[in-house]
Amino acid sequence: MAERSQKEVWKITPWLMLLLLLCNFALMAFDARQTNTQQRVIRVWAQTAADFVQSPVTFVGSAITNYFSSISSMRTAQSENDVLKQRVQELEIEVQTNKGLTVENERLKSLLELKANTNYKFLSAQVIGRDTSAWFDTSIIDRGSLDGVKLNMPIVTNGGLVGRVTAVSPLTAQVALITKDKAGLGAVVGTLEVSNANGVVSGSGQKEILEMGYVPGSIEVKIGESVYTNGQDGIYPAGLKLGEVIEVRADSATQPQRIFIQPSAKLSAMQEVAVLLYEPPPRPEFEKTLPNAKKK
Amino acid sequence: MEQVKITAALIVAVLLQWTLRNVAEPLTFIDFPLIIVVYAALRGSSIRALFYATFAGIAVDALSGGLLGANGFSKTLIAFIVSEIVRRVYVDNLLLRIPVIAGACLLNDLVYYGMHRLLGQSPTGQFVPTVAYTLIGTTIAGTIIYLILDRFFAENIRKGKREVFAPRRQTRRRNPIRLGSRR
């Protein structure tokens, strides 16, 4: 193949740039059309390829971190040991008391004929990658479709709800955090089935702060109250803890109050998470026939 | 040979971008693929730089929560602009490359953010801090990486002597006696 002269290269370059820009723009426009999922062929392949790099790096990185943290924790081990011994004695007394309470609770439940709460199955996973861009906050976990992970499955930690699965490859899955602006979810302030303070929680534009809107102005919301999912969004089950109210601001007539929530899960420092193997119940037939319903 | 070396550097850059944030959070503010794309453009290979930019951009976007193609778009534009600058201005020394990588990083962030806003997406990161940290991180890392790349990859740099400043053109001294005698 004959080599191109410099003049020819200068002539081709702007046209090539335009072509590549158009391709990228088309890709972007296609990706922006669907906001509720990020499942794309390129993503699935890239995530599968990246798993072979991310998993070993995360393994080595966490091994080194654990080694150094174990050395530093040795210093405080003796004093901690004394405190823990005392705590064990206290807990033994508490356990004995709780056993009695459990028996009593079971008896009362059977009396009231309450159904036992459905326990969802969990799948533990490790965060092996974080978002490659400084502008976003998604994470990659080491469980994929081969493990039974599906789109929109909730991700939780012992602190509370973290987010949902937005893209699945055979070995990994991408998790969008609840702080992402578009991720609106139904929530309730206070105890579920008791409180009427239902609203929509979404990202606030600040890291690790959520905003709740559409709560009626007649309902008083106090700082420190807990916020839970109410299950009305068709993605998350009801009763998952989101966080606590840290600020309530009076707003416009259409939206009387804006509630700011501190998530109870540590979103920026999570290493171990659990995939809730929950699939929302199918939408009722009348919802599918509505004129604005999404057609497949 | 140089082509292979820069391609290898680009692949390493993409892999670093994929993994380093999980090791240390501040490393997310270094845009490794952008550094290599600008380096390829600075070396004068404009067509190659455009392809590198698109490939690296899409590879980074694939593991990001942002729009697929946004990084490819901004990096392709940067590669073209840097290629055009190189065509017109002499920037083959380290001190002149610093403002080039800083400007490229700033423009890349602006285009990336702007494209997301244009298509109705709101990035989670705050605008000013993210742009500022990325500018600082990428400029510092880019300067160091260019030193390393020049040391190991460039074939036209003499051993043990690196031209930090632009070489001054030396005017030839003429012998006045010989000038006078020539006819």
Side-chain angles (χ1 to χ4, degrees), chain B residues 120-181:
Chain B
Q121 308 287 314
S122 328
T124 323
Q126 286 174 305
F127 181 72
V128 176
T130 310
V131 170
Y133 289 143
T134 314
L135 181 65
I136 295 165
T138 309
T139 308
I140 294 170
T143 310
I144 297 163
I145 288 168
Y146 289 164
L147 273 170
I148 296 164
L149 289 176
D150 277 348
R151 185 88 177 85
F152 290 106
F153 291 163
E155 285 158 3
N156 56 350
I157 288 178
R158 280 170 286 171
K159 263 188 181 176
K161 187 183 177 185
R162 188 172 297 114
E163 289 167 351
V164 174
F165 295 96
R168 180 181 284 176
R169 187 197 257 175
Q170 289 188 345
T171 48
R172 201 170 165 192
R173 273 178 130 185
R174 287 184 178 180
N175 190 340
I177 302 161
R178 281 187 64 187
L179 273 172
S181 61

Side-chain angles (χ1 to χ4, degrees), chain A residues 71-84:
Chain A
I71 290 171
S72 65
S73 63
M74 283 287 277
R75 289 182 174 183
T76 53
Q78 185 60 45
S79 57
E80 263 181 27
N81 195 25
D82 294 337
V83 174
L84 286 171

Side-chain angles (χ1 to χ4, degrees), chain A residues 4 6 8-14 16-17 20-22 24-25 27-29 31-33 35 38 40 42-44 46-47 49-50 53-54 57-58 61 127-138 140 174 179-182 205-207 268 270-271, chain B residues 14-15 17-23 25 28-29 44 46-47 50-51 54 58-74 76-77 80 83-84 87 109-110 112-113 115-116 118-128 130-131 134:
Chain A
R4 289 193 189 93
Q6 200 62 38
E8 278 177 320
V9 170
W10 289 343
K11 243 182 191 177
I12 294 168
T13 312
L16 186 67
M17 185 228 14
L20 291 173
L21 286 184
L22 269 173
N24 278 304
F25 191 81
L27 209 57
M28 267 193 288
D31 201 28
R33 277 178 67 207
T35 50
Q38 294 185 314
R40 307 277 177 267
I42 296 174
R43 276 212 169 89
V44 171
Q47 276 181 28
V53 187
Q54 285 178 329
V57 169
T58 307
V127 177
I128 56 162
R130 303 284 305 282
D131 203 301
T132 50
S133 165
W135 294 99
F136 292 92
D137 260 341
T138 57
I140 310 280
Q174 192 177 31
T179 46
K180 197 180 173 190
D181 192 47
K182 297 277 173 186
Q206 297 173 52
K207 276 196 173 178
S268 60
M270 54 182 190
Q271 292 295 321
Chain B
V14 170
L15 294 180
Q17 199 71 24
W18 279 357
T19 51
L20 282 187
R21 190 177 186 181
N22 208 30
V23 177
E25 180 74 24
T28 186
F29 295 113
S46 51
I47 293 179
L50 290 177
F51 282 114
T54 300
I58 292 172
V60 169
D61 283 331
L63 265 73
S64 164
L67 289 175
L68 205 58
N71 252 311
F73 187 92
S74 59
T76 308
L77 196 66
F80 177 73
S83 302
E84 287 298 301
R87 224 178 91 184
D109 276 353
L110 292 176
Y112 183 82
Y113 184 82
M115 291 312 294
H116 275 90
L118 184 75
L119 293 167
Q121 308 287 314
S122 328
T124 323
Q126 286 174 305
F127 181 72
V128 176
T130 310
V131 170
T134 314

